Amino acid sequence: MKNRPYLFVASLLMIAALALSACAPAAPAASDSGDADMMDSGEAEEMAGRPLPDDAAAEQVIRYVTRDLSRLNPASESGFGRPWISHMWMPFFLRDRNHDIHPWLATDWEVNDDNTVYTIHIHPDAAWSDGSPVVAQEAIDYWSWAISPDCTTCWAFLRLGGIEGAQAVVDGEADTISGLTAVDDKTLRITLATPSPTFIASMAHYNTGFVKMEDVNASEFAADANTRVNGPFQIEVWDLDTREYVVVQNPNWWGDEKPYIERIEAQWSNDENITYLMWQDGEADVAHWFTNIREPLRVENPDLFVLIPYATNFYFALHGAKPPLDDINVRRALLHAVDWDLAISAAYEGSRNERVMKTHLTPELPCFVADNWPDFGYDPELAKQELAASKYGGPENLPKIRISSGGQSPNYLRTAEIMAEQWKNVLGITDVEIRQGWGDAWGQEADLVNVQRNSWGATIPDPAAMISGLWQYYRAPHEVGLEDEELDAMMEELSSLDPQSSEFCEKVSAAENRLLGHYYFLPMIWDLYEYVVQPYVKNFDANVDNNWSTLLDIYVAEH
Amino acid sequence: MLKYAMGRLAVAIPTFIAVLLITFTLTVVSPFDPVAMMMSQFEGTLDTLAREEVIERIRDQYGLNDSYGVQFTRWVQRLLQGDLGISINGQRDVLRMIVKTFPISFQLGLAGAVVTTLMGIPLGCIAALRQNTWLDYTIVGGALTFRTVPVFVLAPLLLVLFVLVLGIMKVPRGWDGLLQTKVILPVFILALGPLPVVVRQTRAAVLEVFSMDYVRTAKMKGLEMWRIIIRHILRNALIPVVTTLGFIAEGLIVGSIFLDSIFAIPGFGGVAEGAFRGFDYPVIMGVTMVSAIMIILTNLLVDLIYPFLDPRIKLE
C-alpha cells in the first residue's frame, strides 16, 4: 500500500462514489422521451371523444415554466400549483376571468331566504378516477380534516370557517363540521353560522376542492400519482425532491367535454435569465413570473401577455394613532404633496404607469368606480395649506416619520425615497427615515414606525368583503386605529347585501368613498401578474385564482 | 491509525454540538419569521387580515410560538430519534430531502473535482515548465479570469452561447444521472471555480521540485523529459495538491447553490439555498449538520491519507 498511495485514494473515492450513486434516486424518464408514453393523436382523439381543431398540433403538450412549485393539496395550495388544481380536485363551481361562477363538480345550488342554508347538487355523473362515484359525504370528511389542526399548513378554514360548527373543528374540539349534512349521495346541505349572501363564491375556490380521505395519509398530505382525482387531469409525477412535475389527462373523467391537452410538463426555474432563455429557445409554451424581463417583453409583443385578474393593492398605510399622522391634515398633506403618476413611473421604471392605485377596488373587480377618491391627486399648494392647518402648524414641529418599506423589493424602497424627496421639496419635511424590511428592521423603534408598506388582495372577488375587510383591519388600534361610527354601520349593511341586488354597487362605492376619506394610506399600485403564453397556445385564459380557467378548451396549434 | 481516528472523532463531537447549538440559537432568536416569509407568496392575493390569521395558526402548528428551551428540547429529542423535522416552506421531511438530494450533489461535486484535477494539474505543470512565457501567463490568467466571473453570470453567458448563438444544445435542466450530456456544462462550470487553486498550487510545487538535486540528476542521466515529470516531479509535487483536492471536493459537494438553481438540479445546494432564502430553520439545521459532518470527515480523511502520500509523516 505504501507504494500505491494514489491508487488507495482513487479506490477510496471510487467506492464512495459508487455507494452514493446506488443511493441516488433512479433516473427518471427524460421529458423528451415522453413520446413513448403518449398516445398518437388519433388515439387521443378516440379517448377524448372530442376532435381536435383543424389547426391543432399532433402533440397536445404544454411546457410550463414557473418560479416555484409546491406540494399539491387543495387545502394548502398557496400559489404556483394553482393553474390546474381546480381541474384535478374540482370545487363545486368554477370562476371565469370575469368572476362569473359556472357549474363544475356541482350542477346548481339553492339558498334559503335568509342566506344561511345552501344546498348544493353534485353532478349525477361525477366520479373519481377509479370509477367510484363522488358523494357528498366525501366533501364533509375532507373539509373537516382540512380545517382541523391535523392538516399542517392548511388554510381552507378561510373559505369554510363561516359554516356552523367549523370553529369547533378549527379549535380541535370537534371532528366533524356540524353544519354540513349529506342529504343524499349527491346533495350537500351547508348551514352557515351567520347569513352570507356571497358564500357560494367560496365554493368556486380551489381551496374547497376535496380529496378522497382514503388517499390522505398524513398531516403533511401531498398528492402523488396514486391520489385519485375527480377532474379532467391527474398526476403522472409530482416529485418535489427530483423536481419533476407532469400532469396528464384523467382517462376516466366523467365530464362530457374532454380536454384537448394531453399532458402538462411543469418546470421549476428560480432564475429569470434561464426562464427567458428557455422562452427564446422555444422550450417553454407558457411562463409565469417574469420580473425584470417582463416590460421589454411586453413592449416587444404585448399579445403574449394574459393578465390574471387579481384584485391587488400595494400601498403605504399611515398609522392614524401615531404622531404626526394622528392629524388628518398631515395625512392629506402627505398625499397631495406627491405626484403619484410620476413617482410610480419612476419607482417601477414605467412598468405600472396604468396601474397607479387610485381606489381600493381595482378595475378587475365588480363595482369599480375610477374616480371614487375625488381628492386624490397632486396639488402642492393644497398640501402646504393642509400642513399649515394641522395642529403641528408646519414642517418644523412635525415628529419624525418612520417608513418601513415592507419586503425587499427595490420598487417599494424607491417609492418611499421618492415620497420623502417630494415631501422635502413641497412641504419642507426633512425628518424622515426609511428602512428596508418590516417592523423588525427597526429593532427597538418598531413601535414608532408610522408608515408601513402593505398590500391587500381578494382571492374571492367580492368588493364588499374587500372593503369591509380593510375597515375591520385598519380600525384595530394597533394598526391604523380608524374610528367612524357611520362607516361601521355602512360596513355592517354591506355584509348582508345580495351582490345581485341593484343597490349593491351603489352601497359598496359609498362605503369605499367614505373609507378613502380617512386618508389612511398613500397609494402605490394595483398590481397585476400575468402568464406569458406563446401565440400557438390557443384559448388560454386565467381567472382570479391563477387557474387556467379555460383548460378544457386550450389546445396547441401547429407551429 | 484506528486509535488516532477515534481520537479525532471524539474531539470533533464537541465542535459538532457547538455548531448545532449556535445555528439553532441564531435561527430561533432571529427576527425573521419563516412562516411570514413563506406566506409572502400571498402578498397582494390574500387580505392581510386573513394572512395574519394563517401565519399565527401555522406558527402554532410548528411550535414556533414556544419558548427557546421548549423548541430546543423538542428538536434534540427528535434528532435523537433520527427525525430532523418537517420543512416549513415545503412541508416535507427534512431527512428525506437530504437523503434524496445529497447523492446527486456528491456525484456532481466529485465529478467537478475530477475535472478540476484533470485540467488543473496538467495546466499547472505546463505553466511551470514554461515559466514566465506567454503560455504561463495565459494559463494562470485564464484560470483566474474564469474564477472571477461569478457562476450566476458565467452560466447564463455560456448558455446564451451554446443554446442561442451556436444552437448546439437545449437548456440543460434537471438530473437524469451523472452519465448524461446535460451534466457536462454544470460539471465544467463547477470545475472552473477551484481550478486556479489547483493550477497555481501545482505550478508552485513543480517549480520547487524542478530545482531539486534528484531532478537535476535524472536530467543528467539522460532520462526523457516526460519520464522525469511523471516519475520524479509530479509524484513529489502533488502531495499538497492532493490534500487540497479533498477540501475542494467537499466545497463542490455542499456549495453548488447557484448551479442547482440555474440548471434546476435537485441537489443539496438547492435545498440549502431554499432553506436560507425562506429561513426554513428545520432545513437550515439539517443542512448545517450535514455540512459540518462533511467538513469533519474530510479533515479526518485528509489526515489519514497524508502518511500514505508522504512517508515522512506519521500519525500520532
Side-chain angles (χ1 to χ4, degrees), chain A residues 92 117-122 134-144 163 176-191 210:
Chain A
F92 287 128
V117 180
Y118 285 78
T119 306
I120 291 173
H121 302 284
I122 300 173
V134 173
V135 296
Q137 188 60 42
E138 288 167 332
I140 298 175
D141 294 343
Y142 179 80
W143 288 354
S144 296
I163 301 173
T176 306
I177 305 170
S178 60
L180 295 174
T181 309
V183 178
D184 58 45
D185 277 356
K186 297 292 182 185
T187 311
L188 178 67
R189 191 169 63 221
I190 302 171
T191 307
F210 51 94

Side-chain angles (χ1 to χ4, degrees), chain A residues 63-69 78-84 267-272 275-276 279 284-291 294 297 305-308 310 528-533 540 542-543 545-548, chain B residues 41 45:
Chain A
R63 296 158 302 166
Y64 171 59
V65 188
T66 187
R67 195 180 67 173
D68 208 350
L69 288 153
S78 57
F80 301 100
R82 290 188 208 172
W84 335 278
Q267 293 202 57
W268 166 89
S269 175
N270 210 11
D271 187 315
E272 189 181 5
T275 308
Y276 190 50
W279 180 264
D285 305 315
V286 180
H288 185 41
W289 217 270
F290 280 126
T291 50
R294 173 160 56 181
L297 192 60
F305 284 68
V306 176
L307 302 180
I308 301 169
Y310 285 148
L528 206 58
Y529 297 99
E530 69 284 305
Y531 289 109
V532 186
V533 183
F540 188 97
N543 68 13
D545 297 324
N546 283 18
N547 294 159
W548 296 358
Chain B
Q41 60 191 301
T45 62

Side-chain angles (χ1 to χ4, degrees), chain A residues 184-212:
Chain A
D184 58 45
D185 277 356
K186 297 292 182 185
T187 311
L188 178 67
R189 191 169 63 221
I190 302 171
T191 307
L192 303 183
T194 53
S196 170
T198 57
F199 174 77
I200 205 67
S202 293
M203 297 292 101
H205 194 273
Y206 59 84
N207 267 165
T208 57
F210 51 94
V211 182
K212 224 172 160 61

Side-chain angles (χ1 to χ4, degrees), chain B residues 247-310:
Chain B
F247 297 107
I248 287 175
E250 186 274 326
L252 293 179
I253 290 164
V254 299
S256 59
I257 286 176
F258 289 115
L259 279 183
D260 284 3
S261 178
I262 290 168
F263 294 103
I265 296 168
F268 187 72
V271 171
E273 188 255 344
F276 288 114
R277 190 161 41 90
F279 224 77
D280 194 344
Y281 88 88
V283 187
I284 291 176
M285 292 306 298
V287 164
T288 308
M289 211 166 74
V290 172
S291 302
I293 291 171
M294 279 292 293
I295 290 167
I296 289 167
L297 287 183
T298 309
N299 269 300
L300 181 62
L301 194 67
V302 167
D303 281 355
L304 293 179
I305 288 172
Y306 220 89
F308 290 99
L309 303 181
D310 188 347

